[in-house]
Amino acid sequence: MKSLISVFLLMVLVGCEKTVMETGSLVVNVSVGPLCPVEPCKKTPSEIKLAYEAYSLVLTEAISGTLLVEKPLSYDGTRGTFGVSTLEVGDYKLTIKPDNVFSRKGFPKDIKIESGKTTTVDISIDTGIR
């Protein structure tokens, strides 16, 4: 009887252990262009910032398609950025909004998040401006 109680208690204790979710991070660096039909481009820094921030990146679970994050790009003065600091380990899809015949090239992107690692992705968005 004592051994049966010991086994039961051990099962209860093991069953009550907290499962630690394994996570990783995602950083996306984005270039948007062309911004002008001819070079040199005469856009002001604020106009360039608006051009980048007009795009949003959308992150979904690869299998279910469940939306996890949709947010506009941030512009750091040289490129667009998008990041998620805590993502469960697994496979994801990255898409863009708005998408058109030019900007959707190369999307959706397959993203794999690994435990304790930062996945960095560099993408280019074609504006279609010619």
Side-chain angles (χ1 to χ4, degrees):
M1 185 68 162
K2 279 185 174 180
S3 64
L4 186 58
I5 293 172
S6 297
V7 170
F8 176 74
L9 287 174
L10 181 61
M11 288 174 53
V12 168
L13 289 174
V14 170
C16 290
E17 268 185 39
K18 255 190 175 174
T19 304
V20 177
M21 182 175 64
E22 293 185 49
T23 62
S25 300
L26 173 64
V27 172
V28 183
N29 299 311
V30 183
S31 64
V32 175
L35 297 177
C36 298
V38 293
E39 293 296 329
C41 189
K42 302 285 188 196
K43 294 214 180 270
T44 66
S46 61
E47 290 172 321
I48 295 170
K49 181 177 192 272
L50 287 174
Y52 273 82
E53 292 175 350
Y55 291 95
S56 293
L57 291 182
V58 180
L59 188 68
T60 58
E61 290 182 353
I63 295 173
S64 69
T66 302
L67 175 67
L68 297 173
V69 178
E70 179 178 343
K71 66 180 181 180
L73 290 176
S74 296
Y75 183 66
D76 69 6
T78 58
R79 64 181 178 204
T81 59
F82 173 91
V84 182
S85 60
T86 307
L87 282 172
E88 191 172 336
V89 168
D91 296 319
Y92 298 89
K93 298 262 184 208
L94 185 68
T95 57
I96 186 172
K97 281 189 179 178
D99 70 339
N100 60 43
V101 71
F102 297 106
S103 66
R104 78 169 59 111
K105 284 183 195 172
F107 288 97
K109 293 255 186 233
D110 293 326
I111 307 291
K112 183 170 191 71
I113 299 298
E114 297 179 28
S115 182
K117 295 184 179 178
T118 298
T119 300
T120 303
V121 178
D122 296 320
I123 62 172
S124 295
I125 297 173
D126 185 346
T127 61
I129 297 172
R130 304 284 189 263

